[in-house]
Amino acid sequence: MPNVVVVGAQWGDEGKGKIVDLLTMDADVVVRFQGGNNAGHTLVVGGEKTVLHLIPAGILHPGKACVIGNGVVADPAVLVMEIDRLKAKGGMKDDGQLAISLDAHVIMPWHKAIDIAREQAAGQGKIGTTGRGIGPTYEDKVARRGVRVRDLLDEARLARKVKERLPAAREELKRLGATPDLDEAAIVKQYAEYGRRVARYATDVSLWLHRALKAGKSLLFEGAQGTMLDVDHGTYPFVTSSNTVAGNAVIGCGLGPRAVDYVLGISKAYSTRVGSGPYPSELSDETGERLRKIGNEFGATTGRPRRTGWLDALALRYAARVNGLDALAITKLDVLDGFEKVKIAVAYDVDGKRLDEMPSDPEQLERAKPVYEELPGWSEKVGHLRTWDDLPKLARSYLKRIEELTEVKVIGVSVGADRGETILRENPFRR
Ligand code: IMP
Ligand code: MG
């Protein structure tokens, strides 16, 4: 049985959750391997909306296992809240459906406070983080002073770790002009309580997945954020603090590189970005406003209006390279319905020089002016269409052009928010 990685090929919010939800039908286990509750998936099944930030989208399928790997940073308050909400709606009937790595790092109250205080202090130079404590938690992981899920399960150890870490956190917060409200005893008590709540899900995920593979199960790795937000390969420093690319899928859950058979990249039919950082094909005009309005481009996590623009073929080609994409799925095609013309950035002009590939220096990207190719739009609505051949000819030409520019085939198209509003030309699990 094949194992498939789904990653964002742009700046996040490509609609990965929807594609993961759909592909989950053919997988046995869904694995998250990086990021935390900075992510946000809005899923619509039969008209009912569910927003998830930490638990893999696959949880809505009874009988499918969802795994949070060691590479994820987990906010236990969010985990517990999502479990409670799912159960209140009659979902997640079997607790065996969810597993979280004992080695996943825990987002503690000081991480959130530091994230927010730093952004406030940075003013104009801010990253525009989600304020969920993601960066500071990964920093503590790499600095070897983090708190892991296993620490929540041992109150004495948790108390020791909190005691060791708090003084420096308080100092940093004071320096940033924040007034930290961090009570040591209260934190230990609350997080030990979270520990008791999550204990039944906490496990050795590497061993668990190894056994699942041996038993012939197939895995679906669910990436969060997108390629251009990768800490190594994105528009540094305007990135998230983890590796979002496909290579991290196995590191973030304790398997070897041969565990991946297929890499699927997700891209919108246009582009969006939340937060600061270079974005050459951004539209700050009426067309950008139209994309935001029709595409309902407001963050699932922070509610912020997303920046919008035309599709960037250089970014997609780059995503194909650094992820090793086998295929692309294009989402929100319906948002482009009725545009007289659609454009694709096919090159950049940087200081009068034409670039055909993504420059590796983000400062060059900051100065890049997109060179557009213009294609005729389609006037028909595509939302009700369910087969490739039914798509308007001009919509198919647009998709074909994406294939040519990226040298990656487009195997799926999403034409609406609901699970059913998807056209799959090829299923990565049934090749
Ligand atoms: P952080 O991940 O909260 O540290 O934020 C760092 C950058 O990544 C900011 O520009 C965020 O807007 C962006 N970001 C983080 N998570 C997501 C996501 O799930 N979708 C889109 N952008 C994200
Ligand atoms: Mg999102």
Side-chain angles (χ1 to χ4, degrees), residues 93-365:
K93 288 214 168 63
D94 172 14
D95 278 315
Q97 244 192 299
L98 182 67
I100 180 166
S101 169
L102 285 159
D103 294 327
H105 279 252
V106 176
I107 301 176
M108 298 296 290
W110 56 84
H111 295 132
K112 289 183 259 194
I114 289 171
D115 192 359
I116 293 163
R118 274 194 203 150
E119 288 279 284
Q120 267 166 3
Q124 283 293 349
K126 70 177 191 223
I127 307 280
T129 72
T130 58
R132 301 298 191 265
I134 307 296
T137 307
Y138 277 117
E139 280 172 44
D140 275 1
K141 169 178 175 170
V142 178
R144 296 167 290 200
R145 56 170 183 238
V147 176
R148 300 194 286 179
V149 167
R150 60 176 72 255
D151 300 318
L152 299 183
L153 308 185
D154 177 339
E155 188 161 343
R157 192 155 80 184
L158 175 66
R160 202 170 63 238
K161 291 210 142 189
V162 173
K163 190 184 182 66
E164 276 166 18
R165 182 66 182 91
L166 260 187
R170 284 206 185 99
E171 234 170 76
E172 175 166 8
L173 284 164
K174 260 192 218 131
R175 220 179 322 117
L176 290 165
T179 40
D181 172 28
L182 297 169
D183 182 88
E184 187 178 319
I187 292 173
V188 173
K189 187 163 169 263
Q190 187 179 21
Y191 281 71
E193 176 53 30
Y194 287 139
R196 284 186 281 279
R197 285 287 321 269
V198 305
R200 60 163 61 158
Y201 309 106
T203 189
D204 179 341
V205 155
S206 168
L207 182 61
W208 195 98
L209 289 173
H210 176 75
R211 287 185 176 147
L213 285 178
K214 272 195 146 177
K217 308 273 191 210
S218 64
L219 314 182
L220 175 55
F221 298 92
E222 174 184 338
Q225 292 83 50
T227 302
M228 302 308 287
L229 292 174
D230 183 284
V231 67
D232 284 285
H233 306 290
T235 55
Y236 192 87
F238 299 101
V239 292
T240 191
S241 298
S242 64
N243 286 114
T244 60
V245 295
N248 193 29
V250 288
I251 297 170
C253 71
L255 294 172
R258 281 185 229 282
V260 174
D261 301 295
Y262 191 103
V263 182
L264 175 63
I266 314 296
S267 168
K268 280 179 191 164
Y270 49 98
S271 64
T272 64
R273 173 168 199 159
V274 206
S276 322
Y279 179 10
S281 68
E282 178 170 19
L283 293 168
S284 312
D285 58 6
E286 261 170 41
T287 308
E289 192 52 51
R290 183 168 165 197
L291 286 172
R292 181 159 37 249
K293 208 168 149 213
I294 302 177
N296 190 25
E297 296 297 351
F298 297 88
T301 299
T302 57
R304 290 180 285 178
R306 294 178 183 142
R307 301 159 67 191
T308 51
W310 293 117
L311 193 71
D312 184 333
L314 290 84
L316 281 189
R317 283 167 69 83
Y318 180 71
R321 167 153 52 97
V322 297
N323 291 290
L325 294 187
D326 289 294
L328 276 167
I330 304 294
T331 60
K332 296 189 125 173
L333 186 69
D334 55 301
V335 174
L336 295 184
D337 289 354
F339 276 76
E340 206 161 291
K341 294 203 159 57
V342 283
K343 294 188 191 180
I344 304 178
V346 293
Y348 296 145
D349 177 322
V350 181
D351 309 327
K353 257 183 65 186
R354 183 186 163 111
L355 294 185
D356 294 302
E357 297 287 350
M358 177 62 68
S360 69
D361 181 356
E363 284 183 23
Q364 275 198 343
L365 196 59

Side-chain angles (χ1 to χ4, degrees), residues 77-91:
V78 172
L79 183 62
V80 163
M81 184 185 72
E82 289 191 349
I83 293 170
D84 289 344
R85 277 200 195 152
L86 284 164
K87 291 196 168 191
K89 277 191 177 180

Side-chain angles (χ1 to χ4, degrees), residues 1-7 15-30 43 57-58 61 64 218-222 262-266 327-329 411-412 419 422-430:
M1 287 296 281
N3 302 319
V4 177
V5 181
V6 172
V7 286
K16 297 175 292 293
K18 182 190 154 162
I19 303 294
V20 166
D21 173 60
L22 188 74
L23 293 179
T24 297
M25 319 238 192
D26 292 294
D28 299 296
V29 185
V30 185
L43 296 166
H61 298 254
K64 308 286 176 172
S218 64
L219 314 182
L220 175 55
F221 298 92
E222 174 184 338
Y262 191 103
V263 182
L264 175 63
I266 314 296
L328 276 167
I411 62 149
R419 189 187 271 172
T422 317
I423 298 169
L424 257 197
R425 250 170 145 188
E426 173 185 311
N427 184 327
F429 285 104
R430 300 189 214 161

